[in-house]
Structures are given as C-alpha cells and as structure tokens.
Amino acid sequence: MTVNISFSKAPHKKAEAAVLCFYDSKDQAPSVASMNYEFSGFLDHVLKKTKSFKGKNGQIEILMLPEGAPYNYVILFGCGKKEDLDKDAAEKLGGKLFAALDGKNIETVELLIDNDVPNSGEIAAYLATGFKLRSYKFEQYQTKKADDDSVKISEANFVVFDSKISEQIYTEQLCVIDGMFFARDLVNEPPNELYPDAYAKRIRDELKPLGVEIEIFDDKKMKKLGMGALMAVGQGSDNAPRMVIMRWKGDKNSTDAPLAFVGKGVTFDTGGISLKPGAGMEDMKMDMGGSAAVVGLMMALARRKAKVNVVGVVGLVENMPSARAYRPADIVKSYSGKTIEVLNTDAEGRLVLADALSYVQDVYKPSLIVDLATLTGAMMMALGHEYCGTFVTDNILWEQMDNAGKKTGERLWRMPLDEVWKKDMEGTISDVQNMAKSGRWAGACTAAAFLWHFIEDGTPWAHMDIAGTAWIKSDRDTYPKFGTGFGVRVLDRLIAENYEQM
Ligand code: BES
Ligand code: MN
Ligand code: ZN
C-alpha cells in the first residue's frame, strides 16, 4: 500500500502530525506563526533552543507536542529558499519528507503550505508527487504482517490556498505514477511468477479494463509469423514465449500513423548456453525492464486518456540453457527475412527486439519508434545509473526526448549510431550476426547498430539502453535493489508535449 494523498484549503486538524515549512531560516512563515499561537508558544521555545535546525533544504525535525495540542507531533521541515522552490525542488523535497517520516510511528500527516510561496498550488502538487513516488513498496511476498512499532504513513493532506489547482495537477501526475508503479511491480516480481504467459495475462488484466486493446501471440502464432529470432531465444525454456500488442486509440478522429513503443521482455536471462556467471545472476529478473516501461507507459496514457494513438509491443521470453536451447553458431531467420548468426546466446535481447521491431513496422507503419531494453552491460559501464544512453536517428526526436528527460529527471544522454558499427554487425556467412566482428569494445553501440539493421529507412527511431537505469541499489535496506520504472515518465512527457492533440 502506498500513501493516500488529499488537498484542502484549510487544515482538517485530524492528522497525528502537522508539517510546518521553513524557508532557509527560522523566520516564522504565516502558518508557523498561527501554529505557534495554537501550541501556546511552544514553537517559539523550540526554535530558540534548537541550534541545528536552520530550515535548510531537506532538514527535518520531528517533535512531540504536549497534551492538549491539536496534533501529537509537529514536524519542522526545511524547504530551502522560497525563490528556489520550483517543481523539481518540491518533488525532491516531498520524497525526502516521506523517507524521513516513514516508520516513525506516524500514520497521518498534514502539511501546511504558505500562500506566499510562489505558485503554491503547483508546488503543493509536486511535493505530493515526490511524497507519493517515495512511498512505493513491494511487499506482497512478505507474509509476516508489519508489527506495531513500524507503523507506516497511510494518509497525507496538503493544505494550500489553491487546493483545486493542486488537485488537478496531482491527479494528472497520479496517472503517470500508476504507470511507473506498475512497471516497478513487474520488474520486482520474481521470475518464477512472472514468466512470459503469466506476464502476458497480467498485462491484459490490468490494461484491458482501461480501454487498451490487447492482442497476445503465443508460440504457435509467432512460429507461423516467422519470428525465428525471438523464438530461438525462448526455445530452451519450458515457459513458451509470448508477444503482447497493446493499442491505445486516444485520438479516434486521426488517421495518422501511430507512435510505436517496443520493449525487451526477457523474464529471466541466464545467458543460455553462453551461461552467465552465478554471482549476481539473480539481478537478471530485471531483464524485462524495457517491456515493463512500455506497459507502464500504456497504462499512464490510458489512465489520463491521452489524445494520441499509440501501439506498444513487448517480446516476452525466458533465456534458459537446456537440451533444446539455441546454441552459439546457430543461424536463425528473423521476421524481416534477414538471417542472423548467433555467436553468443547471451546477446539475446537484440534477437527479441529484431522481431518485435520488424513486426511493428510491417503491420503498423508507425511515424516514430522508440524501443527500450536492458540491452548491454557495456551501457552500465559507460553511464552507470544516472543517465540512460539513447541512440537516435533523428535530431528533432532527440531534442524532444532530451527536453522531456530534463523536465522529468529521467535523464538521457545521446549515444552515437555509426555506419562503422553497422558494418561490424554484418555476418560472414549470414546477413547479420549478434556479436560484433571487432570484439567487445563499444558494446552498447554495436548492440544499437545491430538493431539499426531492422529499422526501415526514414522512420525516426530511438533506442534506449536502460541496463543501468531500470534497476538501482537503493538506500533503503529493506529494498536493497528494486525496479525504478524508468522510461514511463520521460516517454509520457515526450508524448504529452509533442504528439498529443490538445
Ligand atoms: N541482459 C543483459 C545485459 C545486462 C547486463 C543488463 C547487466 C543489465 C545488467 C544482456 O542480455 C547481455 O547479456 N548482454 C551481453 C551482451 C554481450 C554478450 C555481447 C553483455 O552485456 O555482456
Ligand atoms: Mn543476455
Ligand atoms: Zn538480456
């Protein structure tokens, strides 16, 4: 359960804790002054005596109030300088506030935002957004109920003069947050539960009620369609592959080509016959992070009824070693007709994407394609967890993505596509091969160049290698590693700002 958020013009005074904002000083903002009066001068006393609290950005003090006070606790919340408090700063602060309060025996809070904060309605909405995002938990596999001394925050009311504006902005944000949380859930699911067929059904069950059209291809159908690359990856597993096509038609009047989003959905990547080392292999449950982002994006678009036509395609397979598994040296025929020599069965993501990319172009003739994949360890080596390496054929598309990245904090970094690498991926006895002839250097770039072989000329295309950003080591010891839902937010923004009917 994540936290429930509400907004009101006046305080309800029903919460256990009041959060008071300070702006880089101990100066009393109007809300603090009025509370001080209600707490019989208690705040004056506290502020005089506490030397450490200075109202700096992110500073938080939790104080218990004496009997008779309207709240059990008052929380001093440093928000930094008023003039620096923009959307981004507010969202980060909201997250810090949640982290500081969770598990502190407080269930309900009320945060008072002063009217003299510029754009206070908008700021409140983004404080709430950060608060909500940070409240994500993945706990359905913990059968032991949390005991009393780890009471969690369940309700937060934000008091702000323009509460209607806050509510409007937050409601829109919540649609995207829902998509992000769904993507995180999918990544965090263990691979024995989230195998291709189970995953496909989960997508259908969640998205169909929202008005997304769903088509599921099973292994027979894909074989018939000639998806020999994707099928080869899945042939070593008892869990047969699936492909899910998701259509959101939010702009019924338009006959324009749809936008296409394609995701790698390897529900577990052992490497196959080119087996990965055992240490850390458990992380490879996140190898469906690209598909999760596409599914989460479709949810966000449907939840906010985006006026745009989008098709999402995810290729779902499990990469296992077995007597039936594909092997290094196999040559497979892809949906496009191009033959691929498999030189390493651990370079499987590109095979899955090749067929998904060709299919979506063949059937939907999209005006734009973005794919997301946890494609290479090399991408992690290059950019770590902070930036998502993004390969783009079209400068305008890159500008739009870069802007959306900066606005959402899901930051992108442009990576090079080069004919040299494209050539490097051409086969010696096949059309293309899944390993570069030059070896392992520029592994993220050669992987992108392989995919490029499957993009028809003229269609703007972006490939996001989310190997480093889909999955992070967190500072929460209860969740040492977890899915981020990376991609949902930046792509939702890309669409909202550039491709949606007003
Ligand atoms: N899923 C991995 C890439 C990956 C590694 C994602 C670490 C996240 C964290 C991918 O399928 C893979 O194994 N790539 C190989 C490619 C190589 C064999 C050319 C890699 O990066 O080592
Ligand atoms: Mn692999
Ligand atoms: Zn993989």
Side-chain angles (χ1 to χ4, degrees):
M1 268 302 281
T2 59
V3 64
N4 273 322
I5 304 254
S6 57
F7 298 90
S8 67
K9 236 183 176 50
H12 293 328
K13 296 193 183 167
K14 288 196 183 111
E16 290 166 80
V19 179
L20 302 180
C21 300
F22 289 80
Y23 306 95
D24 221 8
S25 78
K26 286 189 183 184
D27 289 354
Q28 297 198 357
S31 63
V32 177
S34 89
M35 278 292 161
N36 184 49
Y37 176 75
E38 288 202 49
F39 301 165
S40 321
F42 176 72
L43 284 174
D44 265 350
H45 165 75
V46 165
L47 290 168
K48 223 173 278 159
K49 296 287 176 189
T50 44
K51 295 204 174 63
S52 60
F53 185 81
K54 295 196 170 76
K56 294 232 173 298
N57 183 313
Q59 253 195 327
I60 292 163
E61 294 282 345
I62 305 174
L63 308 170
M64 189 147 215
L65 291 171
E67 202 184 349
Y71 301 91
N72 296 344
Y73 298 90
V74 63
I75 291 148
L76 312 183
F77 181 30
C79 293
K81 289 198 178 69
K82 228 174 245 176
E83 60 270 25
D84 294 344
L85 194 54
D86 58 7
K87 293 196 305 197
D88 282 355
E91 191 178 303
K92 288 201 178 91
L93 274 169
K96 282 183 193 165
L97 181 67
F98 183 88
L101 301 188
D102 201 32
K104 295 280 161 57
N105 221 8
I106 299 168
E107 236 173 310
T108 54
V109 298
E110 183 153 77
L111 186 133
L112 308 172
I113 293 145
D114 292 287
N115 299 333
D116 58 347
V117 170
N119 306 315
S120 58
E122 185 182 63
I123 294 304
Y126 283 94
L127 278 165
T129 299
F131 199 82
K132 177 78 175 180
L133 278 169
R134 188 64 197 231
S135 76
Y136 174 82
K137 293 192 170 77
F138 184 75
E139 45 194 11
Q140 51 266 50
Y141 291 96
Q142 282 167 320
T143 56
K144 197 170 119 275
K145 287 262 180 299
D147 34 19
D148 291 336
D149 57 357
S150 67
V151 171
K152 310 236 163 69
I153 300 179
S154 61
E155 309 272 342
N157 185 49
F158 290 76
V159 181
V160 59
F161 181 73
D162 287 326
S163 61
K164 282 274 165 296
I165 291 177
S166 306
E167 218 156 287
Q168 199 186 329
I169 298 173
Y170 178 72
T171 305
E172 181 114 352
Q173 288 293 314
L174 190 55
C175 298
V176 184
I177 293 174
D178 281 348
M180 293 167 80
F181 282 6
F182 186 33
R184 290 181 185 184
D185 277 347
L186 291 169
V187 172
N188 292 334
E189 280 288 348
N192 61 323
E193 295 289 340
L194 199 84
Y195 48 89
D197 185 53
Y199 190 178
K201 288 188 170 124
R202 178 105 183 248
I203 295 171
R204 185 195 59 201
D205 292 350
E206 294 280 345
L207 294 189
K208 221 173 165 179
L210 299 178
V212 180
E213 292 173 17
I214 304 287
E215 208 177 338
I216 299 176
F217 296 166
D218 63 9
D219 43 326
K220 280 193 203 86
K221 169 87 177 173
M222 284 188 279
K223 232 187 195 138
K224 224 167 150 185
L225 285 169
M227 295 184 174
L230 183 150
M231 289 303 295
V233 176
Q235 78 188 34
S237 172
D238 281 347
N239 295 311
R242 297 286 184 267
M243 183 174 279
V244 184
I245 321 291
M246 298 158 273
R247 287 182 295 262
W248 170 249
K249 294 180 179 158
D251 186 11
K252 292 249 165 19
N253 300 325
S254 162
T255 53
D256 293 352
L259 312 175
F261 295 88
V262 175
K264 168 180 174 183
V266 175
T267 60
F268 195 72
D269 182 14
T270 64
I273 296 296
S274 314
L275 194 63
K276 285 184 182 297
M281 200 198 274
E282 67 278 9
D283 283 358
M284 282 302 118
K285 74 168 182 179
M286 57 72 100
D287 211 17
M288 30 58 68
S291 65
V294 172
V295 173
L297 174 67
M298 298 306 288
M299 175 178 271
L301 296 174
R303 287 271 284 100
R304 64 178 187 78
K305 299 196 171 12
K307 289 191 182 58
V308 63
N309 296 333
V310 174
V311 55
V313 177
V314 291
L316 312 179
V317 298
E318 187 177 51
N319 188 18
M320 294 290 273
S322 83
R324 280 185 288 118
Y326 78 139
R327 4 166 152 55
D330 281 1
I331 296 180
V332 301
K333 197 178 183 89
S334 67
Y335 180 91
S336 69
K338 286 185 178 155
T339 57
I340 307 168
E341 187 180 15
V342 178
L343 292 170
N344 186 324
T345 64
D346 198 13
E348 84 298 340
R350 56 197 77 182
L351 302 178
V352 174
L353 287 175
D355 280 349
L357 286 167
S358 299
Y359 178 80
V360 81
Q361 291 170 92
D362 185 30
V363 176
Y364 294 93
K365 317 259 180 281
S367 58
L368 167 92
I369 312 167
V370 178
D371 78 69
L372 302 99
T374 49
L375 203 63
T376 65
M379 191 75 257
M380 279 180 88
M381 287 296 178
L383 298 182
H385 298 297
E386 303 305 324
Y387 284 88
C388 165
T390 305
F391 302 79
V392 199
T393 53
D394 184 274
N395 290 335
I396 294 170
L397 175 58
W398 164 248
E399 255 168 53
Q400 295 168 342
M401 292 182 79
D402 190 29
N403 266 325
K406 283 174 178 147
K407 284 190 178 155
T408 55
E410 289 191 344
R411 291 180 296 173
L412 313 179
W413 193 261
R414 192 171 188 178
M415 296 286 291
L417 283 166
D418 198 292
E419 292 292 339
V420 172
W421 291 315
K422 202 171 179 186
K423 264 208 124 47
D424 205 4
M425 301 308 292
E426 285 172 4
T428 51
I429 57 167
S430 59
D431 297 332
V432 290
Q433 55 184 48
N434 81 338
M435 296 286 285
K437 292 189 287 289
S438 65
R440 65 194 174 93
W441 305 114
C445 302
T446 52
F450 175 91
L451 300 178
W452 200 9
H453 278 282
F454 296 87
I455 301 297
E456 284 153 31
D457 286 346
T459 312
W461 165 64
H463 158 58
M464 298 165 68
D465 191 336
I466 60 170
T469 48
W471 178 251
I472 55 161
K473 224 177 134 42
S474 84
D475 52 3
R476 284 180 267 185
D477 37 321
T478 42
Y479 305 103
K481 291 174 177 181
F482 74 112
T484 56
F486 189 97
V488 175
R489 218 174 177 198
V490 65
L491 293 178
D492 175 80
R493 195 91 314 258
L494 171 76
I495 294 171
E497 298 208 345
N498 303 288
Y499 298 97
E500 229 172 295
Q501 293 305 316
M502 278 304 131

XYZ file of all heavy atoms in Angstrom, residues 231-280:
356
model
N 11.897 -16.564 -31.269
C 11.580 -17.949 -30.906
C 12.834 -18.739 -30.528
O 12.792 -19.606 -29.652
C 10.832 -18.638 -32.049
C 9.407 -18.155 -32.245
S 8.404 -18.342 -30.770
C 8.358 -20.115 -30.614
N 13.937 -18.440 -31.190
C 15.186 -19.141 -30.871
C 15.600 -18.878 -29.425
O 15.998 -19.789 -28.695
C 16.301 -18.694 -31.821
N 15.468 -17.626 -28.993
C 15.855 -17.278 -27.624
C 15.028 -18.072 -26.615
O 15.545 -18.552 -25.610
C 15.682 -15.756 -27.360
C 15.989 -15.425 -25.902
C 16.554 -14.940 -28.294
N 13.733 -18.222 -26.919
C 12.840 -18.867 -25.954
C 12.827 -20.382 -26.009
O 12.257 -21.022 -25.125
N 13.484 -20.973 -27.013
C 13.279 -22.422 -27.233
C 13.898 -23.317 -26.163
O 13.526 -24.482 -26.044
C 13.754 -22.830 -28.636
C 15.247 -22.979 -28.786
C 15.680 -23.188 -30.243
O 15.084 -22.645 -31.172
N 16.718 -23.979 -30.443
N 14.800 -22.777 -25.339
C 15.399 -23.580 -24.283
C 14.569 -23.633 -23.015
O 14.891 -24.377 -22.087
N 13.502 -22.870 -22.970
C 12.714 -22.783 -21.740
C 11.414 -23.565 -21.837
O 10.817 -23.671 -22.912
C 12.388 -21.314 -21.455
O 11.479 -21.219 -20.387
N 10.963 -24.102 -20.696
C 9.645 -24.729 -20.643
C 8.537 -23.681 -20.662
O 7.383 -23.996 -20.883
C 9.509 -25.576 -19.371
C 10.220 -26.913 -19.524
O 10.587 -27.259 -20.668
O 10.405 -27.608 -18.504
N 8.894 -22.451 -20.374
C 7.921 -21.357 -20.431
C 7.971 -20.728 -21.815
O 8.898 -19.993 -22.140
C 8.249 -20.300 -19.367
C 8.106 -20.857 -17.962
O 7.100 -21.485 -17.631
N 9.114 -20.656 -17.137
N 6.953 -21.039 -22.608
C 6.958 -20.593 -24.006
C 6.847 -19.072 -24.113
O 6.252 -18.427 -23.261
C 5.799 -21.251 -24.744
N 7.443 -18.511 -25.186
C 7.406 -17.055 -25.395
C 5.990 -16.522 -25.682
O 5.109 -17.283 -26.095
C 8.276 -16.849 -26.628
C 9.036 -18.101 -26.820
C 8.222 -19.193 -26.224
N 5.828 -15.258 -25.480
C 4.611 -14.549 -25.846
C 5.004 -13.204 -26.435
O 6.061 -12.669 -26.127
C 3.714 -14.290 -24.617
C 3.188 -15.548 -23.929
C 2.078 -16.200 -24.748
N 1.513 -17.347 -24.071
C 1.914 -18.606 -24.240
N 2.929 -18.888 -25.060
N 1.317 -19.579 -23.591
N 4.105 -12.680 -27.244
C 4.256 -11.280 -27.651
C 2.926 -10.607 -27.344
O 1.865 -11.190 -27.585
C 4.600 -11.169 -29.139
C 4.838 -9.728 -29.577
S 5.405 -9.594 -31.278
C 7.139 -9.945 -31.090
N 2.987 -9.415 -26.779
C 1.748 -8.692 -26.489
C 1.747 -7.382 -27.266
O 2.717 -6.623 -27.249
C 1.588 -8.406 -24.976
C 0.237 -7.747 -24.699
C 1.721 -9.695 -24.160
N 0.638 -7.181 -28.000
C 0.433 -5.934 -28.743
C -0.613 -5.139 -27.975
O -1.688 -5.662 -27.666
C -0.123 -6.208 -30.171
C 0.522 -7.441 -30.811
C -0.052 -4.968 -31.034
C 1.949 -7.328 -31.182
N -0.292 -3.909 -27.649
C -1.217 -3.046 -26.907
C -1.549 -1.829 -27.765
O -0.637 -1.151 -28.234
C -0.541 -2.572 -25.610
C -0.178 -3.689 -24.654
S 1.144 -3.198 -23.509
C 2.600 -3.614 -24.475
N -2.835 -1.589 -27.980
C -3.204 -0.420 -28.794
C -4.021 0.561 -27.971
O -5.066 0.189 -27.412
C -4.011 -0.873 -30.018
C -3.180 -1.578 -31.084
C -4.031 -1.955 -32.278
N -5.044 -2.935 -31.903
C -4.924 -4.257 -32.094
N -3.852 -4.755 -32.691
N -5.882 -5.081 -31.704
N -3.556 1.791 -27.907
C -4.317 2.854 -27.258
C -4.742 3.852 -28.332
O -3.900 4.469 -28.972
C -3.488 3.561 -26.167
C -4.171 4.798 -25.666
C -3.778 6.090 -25.866
C -5.394 4.854 -24.917
N -4.676 6.951 -25.289
C -5.681 6.229 -24.702
C -6.288 3.887 -24.426
C -6.828 6.647 -23.999
C -7.411 4.299 -23.729
C -7.665 5.669 -23.517
N -6.059 3.940 -28.543
C -6.565 4.852 -29.570
C -7.240 6.027 -28.892
O -8.473 6.075 -28.788
C -7.547 4.103 -30.482
C -6.866 3.008 -31.299
C -7.859 2.290 -32.198
C -7.174 1.226 -33.027
N -8.123 0.189 -33.491
N -6.446 6.959 -28.459
C -6.979 8.107 -27.727
C -7.396 9.239 -28.651
O -8.036 10.191 -28.229
N -7.032 9.118 -29.929
C -7.365 10.159 -30.899
C -8.125 9.510 -32.048
O -7.584 9.272 -33.122
C -6.068 10.831 -31.386
C -6.335 12.013 -32.295
O -7.504 12.444 -32.377
O -5.382 12.502 -32.927
N -9.401 9.254 -31.783
C -10.235 8.463 -32.694
C -10.365 9.077 -34.086
O -10.513 8.374 -35.074
C -11.632 8.265 -32.086
C -11.627 7.365 -30.844
C -12.311 6.051 -31.138
C -12.083 4.939 -30.128
N -11.632 5.233 -28.799
N -10.315 10.416 -34.150
C -10.535 11.096 -35.436
C -9.328 11.053 -36.361
O -9.431 11.336 -37.539
C -10.910 12.559 -35.200
C -12.169 12.662 -34.377
O -13.072 11.834 -34.511
N -12.223 13.658 -33.502
N -8.191 10.709 -35.803
C -6.969 10.782 -36.592
C -6.741 9.502 -37.389
O -7.007 8.397 -36.935
C -5.787 11.027 -35.652
O -4.587 10.699 -36.318
N -6.271 9.695 -38.611
C -5.896 8.533 -39.422
C -4.378 8.474 -39.577
O -3.851 7.674 -40.337
C -6.545 8.611 -40.824
O -6.209 9.879 -41.387
C -8.043 8.461 -40.757
N -3.693 9.363 -38.844
C -2.225 9.387 -38.899
C -1.647 8.071 -38.391
O -2.282 7.364 -37.618
C -1.670 10.519 -38.029
C -2.030 11.885 -38.585
O -2.571 11.932 -39.701
O -1.791 12.879 -37.875
N -0.443 7.787 -38.819
C 0.253 6.588 -38.335
C 0.467 6.719 -36.832
O 0.706 7.815 -36.330
C 1.588 6.461 -39.053
N 0.372 5.609 -36.110
C 0.554 5.674 -34.654
C 2.025 5.816 -34.272
O 2.916 5.619 -35.092
C 0.014 4.315 -34.189
C 0.286 3.397 -35.334
C 0.112 4.239 -36.584
N 2.250 6.135 -33.010
C 3.588 6.074 -32.432
C 3.782 4.647 -31.935
O 2.840 4.031 -31.449
C 3.719 7.023 -31.240
C 3.232 8.454 -31.413
C 3.335 9.210 -30.077
C 4.058 9.159 -32.481
N 5.011 4.126 -32.053
C 5.252 2.754 -31.600
C 6.303 2.711 -30.492
O 7.324 3.405 -30.574
C 5.701 1.888 -32.773
N 6.025 1.907 -29.476
C 6.983 1.682 -28.385
C 7.189 0.177 -28.239
O 6.223 -0.585 -28.186
C 6.467 2.313 -27.086
C 6.384 3.804 -27.193
C 5.236 4.415 -27.696
C 7.471 4.597 -26.881
C 5.164 5.792 -27.855
C 7.422 5.971 -27.033
C 6.264 6.578 -27.515
N 8.439 -0.213 -28.218
C 8.786 -1.634 -28.247
C 9.685 -1.945 -27.051
O 10.605 -1.172 -26.743
C 9.521 -1.971 -29.565
C 10.009 -3.414 -29.582
C 8.605 -1.715 -30.764
N 9.417 -3.054 -26.349
C 10.204 -3.352 -25.149
C 10.755 -4.766 -25.117
O 10.093 -5.724 -25.507
N 11.990 -4.878 -24.621
C 12.611 -6.185 -24.382
C 12.038 -6.761 -23.086
O 12.129 -6.148 -22.031
C 14.130 -6.031 -24.254
C 14.851 -7.288 -23.708
C 16.361 -7.085 -23.588
C 17.043 -8.280 -22.903
N 18.491 -8.079 -22.716
N 11.487 -7.961 -23.199
C 10.879 -8.586 -22.027
C 11.464 -9.965 -21.762
O 10.777 -10.974 -21.868
N 12.753 -10.012 -21.441
C 13.378 -11.288 -21.086
C 13.106 -11.503 -19.592
O 13.692 -10.818 -18.750
C 14.878 -11.305 -21.432
C 15.541 -12.602 -20.949
C 15.071 -11.166 -22.941
N 12.174 -12.389 -19.279
C 11.699 -12.500 -17.891
C 12.783 -13.072 -16.983
O 12.766 -12.837 -15.788
C 10.413 -13.350 -17.795
O 10.692 -14.668 -18.293
C 9.284 -12.717 -18.582
N 13.733 -13.810 -17.568
C 14.966 -14.145 -16.861
C 16.040 -14.469 -17.875
O 15.801 -15.193 -18.833
C 14.784 -15.318 -15.889
C 15.933 -15.406 -14.912
C 16.062 -14.476 -13.896
C 16.903 -16.394 -15.032
C 17.137 -14.512 -13.011
C 17.988 -16.444 -14.151
C 18.100 -15.498 -13.132
N 17.213 -13.867 -17.650
C 18.316 -14.050 -18.590
C 19.477 -14.791 -17.917
O 20.292 -14.196 -17.228
C 18.784 -12.673 -19.108
C 19.922 -12.799 -20.136
O 20.149 -13.916 -20.637
O 20.552 -11.766 -20.436
N 19.519 -16.098 -18.133
C 20.654 -16.879 -17.606
C 21.872 -16.750 -18.523
O 22.974 -17.161 -18.161
C 20.314 -18.383 -17.560
O 20.113 -18.851 -18.905
C 19.066 -18.659 -16.729
N 21.646 -16.214 -19.725
C 22.686 -16.206 -20.744
C 22.481 -17.362 -21.734
O 23.006 -17.344 -22.827
N 21.727 -18.380 -21.304
C 21.538 -19.558 -22.163
C 22.790 -20.418 -22.157
O 23.514 -20.469 -21.157
N 23.087 -21.060 -23.266
C 24.268 -21.928 -23.347
C 25.552 -21.117 -23.088
O 26.484 -21.595 -22.450
C 24.334 -22.638 -24.725
C 23.121 -23.576 -24.900
C 25.647 -23.415 -24.899
C 23.034 -24.746 -23.933
N 25.571 -19.875 -23.528
C 26.672 -18.960 -23.154
C 26.364 -18.432 -21.743
O 26.162 -17.236 -21.538
C 26.778 -17.793 -24.135
O 26.702 -18.234 -25.483
N 26.356 -19.367 -20.812
C 25.837 -19.111 -19.457
C 26.560 -17.974 -18.731
O 27.779 -17.843 -18.816
C 25.992 -20.405 -18.646
C 25.240 -20.529 -17.325
C 23.732 -20.477 -17.532
C 25.633 -21.831 -16.616
N 25.771 -17.190 -18.013
C 26.352 -16.112 -17.194
C 26.992 -16.714 -15.938
O 26.577 -17.781 -15.493
C 25.242 -15.148 -16.756
C 24.735 -14.221 -17.834
C 23.705 -13.257 -17.274
C 23.135 -12.349 -18.352
N 24.123 -11.457 -18.973
N 27.917 -16.008 -15.315
C 28.441 -16.473 -14.017
C 27.323 -16.463 -12.972
O 26.375 -15.680 -13.089
C 29.496 -15.414 -13.662
C 29.704 -14.585 -14.870
C 28.525 -14.750 -15.760
N 27.433 -17.330 -11.986
C 26.372 -17.451 -10.981
C 26.210 -16.225 -10.101
O 25.089 -15.818 -9.796
N 27.326 -15.603 -9.712
C 27.253 -14.474 -8.783
C 26.509 -13.308 -9.423
O 26.879 -12.842 -10.499
C 28.660 -14.047 -8.371
N 25.452 -12.885 -8.779
C 24.693 -11.738 -9.285
C 23.663 -12.091 -10.335
O 22.953 -11.222 -10.832
